[in-house]
Amino acid sequence: MSSTSEPVRRVAIVGTGVIGAGWAAHFLARGLDVVATDPSPGAESRLRADVAAHWPTVTRAGLAEDASSDRLAFTADLETAVGDADFVQENGPEREDVKQALFAALDAAARPETVIASSSSGLAATAIARDCAAHPERVLIGHPFNPPHLIPLVEVVPGERTGEEAVARALDFYTAVGKKPIRVRREVPGHIANRLQAALWREAYSLVDRGVATVRDIDTAIAHGPGLRWALLGPFANQHLSGGRGGIAHILEHLGPPTEAWWRDLGDPSLTPELAAKLVAGVEDALDGIGVDELAARRDALLHALLALKAAADLP
């Protein structure tokens, strides 16, 4: 990989589903040229419709100079899409074998200095880059949080053959387009944020399975309780505040033993068909007829307002 880091002006989006479309809208809003590719029938029309649907939201968040949805191009040819790209963001199916074949093709087609990032929510860059024969040192994970045109977090996870220059370029690029990237120091399934989510889901599913609470009750408990604090500060900062003037040291000393007892009592559910049916029915009951599109629109409007407040408050 070249030692010269040029600004990213053209991004290739590989895979244009929910995540790919969100990425496309975000990059366009930051004033970049975007060329997208996806082999699925009707992919271009769906992508353009999705970007148009996202555009009012990204506009409210503030557009970069020269930002325009007209800077979106589409091609069915993978090599054409990535050949002149300064950065590649892949969003294909979450299957290791599919990504290995796809990344071998991307590695062969992209310029040597171009970072190739996967949006994979849990796979390892080491496995994804297995068949990359040209420049595996520029392959890494760049996992966003859905919806990527709104949520700032990006988890950058290098593989065993990823070079430090590629990591630095990815972190710089994501920061430049308004993201909050973090570097994951070791490859683990699910990276960081999804593992934390999975831990919460595990206990939530267990509580429903054991009849301790309904789906509605659990969603209420989080959305109107700790979730409000979690939206502002992370778990350790929140715990530090809970300790008053003694901070986290006081909490660990006085609530550490009870917390350990709670850990030992946490559930270990199996996602049986019966439990899955109970969860689905519980969500339908809790939403009381609110459709997915309407719920997402309400959520996104609140996310926009919250992110604006957080930016003004300059919280860590």
Side-chain angles (χ1 to χ4, degrees):
M1 178 174 279
S2 168
S3 61
T4 302
S5 181
E6 296 294 333
V8 173
R9 297 186 174 89
R10 182 182 178 91
V11 179
I13 298 290
V14 180
T16 58
V18 172
I19 301 301
W23 269 128
H26 181 75
F27 292 143
L28 290 165
R30 304 318 303 162
L32 302 175
D33 291 317
V34 173
V35 56
T37 186
D38 191 309
S40 302
E44 180 177 4
S45 61
R46 286 193 301 272
L47 171 62
R48 293 191 182 279
D50 288 342
V51 169
H54 294 329
W55 204 250
T57 300
V58 297
T59 299
R60 287 196 300 270
L63 299 178
E65 187 177 357
D66 297 329
S68 172
S69 58
D70 292 336
R71 297 177 72 169
L72 173 63
F74 187 93
T75 175
D77 184 70
L78 182 72
E79 289 75 15
T80 301
V82 305
D84 292 326
D86 302 315
F87 195 94
V88 176
Q89 188 74 45
E90 176 272 337
N91 316 280
E94 192 74 353
R95 286 178 46 193
E96 190 172 286
D97 58 337
V98 172
K99 288 197 185 291
Q100 286 170 343
L102 178 56
F103 267 75
L106 293 173
D107 184 43
R111 301 197 312 263
E113 68 274 15
T114 300
V115 172
I116 307 176
S118 175
S119 295
S120 173
S121 59
L123 298 177
T126 297
I128 289 173
R130 186 194 68 179
D131 297 330
C132 294
H135 294 282
E137 72 278 0
R138 42 76 175 275
V139 173
L140 47 75
I141 300 295
H143 173 237
F145 233 58
N146 192 34
H149 61 289
L150 276 176
I151 301 293
L153 176 66
V154 180
E155 296 172 312
V156 175
V157 195
E160 292 176 1
R161 296 191 289 172
T162 307
E164 284 299 316
E165 184 179 349
V167 175
R169 285 193 182 189
L171 291 170
D172 288 347
F173 169 63
Y174 289 130
T175 300
V177 295
K179 292 297 186 180
K180 288 281 189 180
I182 59 172
R183 176 175 181 167
V184 181
R185 307 287 169 169
R186 176 182 166 194
E187 288 183 302
V188 291
H191 319 315
I192 296 173
N194 274 336
R195 289 177 71 93
L196 293 171
Q197 281 197 140
L200 176 60
W201 287 332
R202 177 176 178 171
E203 183 58 17
Y205 292 1
S206 175
L207 292 173
V208 171
D209 194 32
R210 289 185 285 162
V212 176
T214 65
V215 167
R216 184 193 294 268
D217 290 339
I218 291 172
D219 274 359
T220 298
I222 295 299
H224 298 276
L228 293 172
R229 298 190 305 201
W230 294 342
L232 305 177
L233 293 168
F236 293 115
N238 270 306
Q239 206 172 20
H240 183 60
L241 286 179
S242 296
R245 295 188 181 279
I248 193 171
H250 174 77
I251 285 291
L252 294 177
E253 179 181 356
H254 291 275
L255 291 184
T259 301
E260 287 185 301
W262 298 343
W263 288 343
R264 289 189 291 270
D265 191 57
L266 292 177
D268 187 19
S270 296
L271 195 52
T272 62
E274 293 76 17
L275 176 55
K278 189 182 296 186
L279 297 173
V280 170
V283 169
E284 291 175 349
D285 175 70
L287 294 182
D288 196 24
I290 302 175
V292 171
D293 291 341
E294 182 182 354
L295 185 63
R298 294 184 190 181
R299 177 203 63 187
D300 290 356
L302 286 172
L303 274 175
H304 168 68
L306 176 59
L307 289 168
L309 289 171
K310 281 173 64 74
D314 194 28
L315 289 171

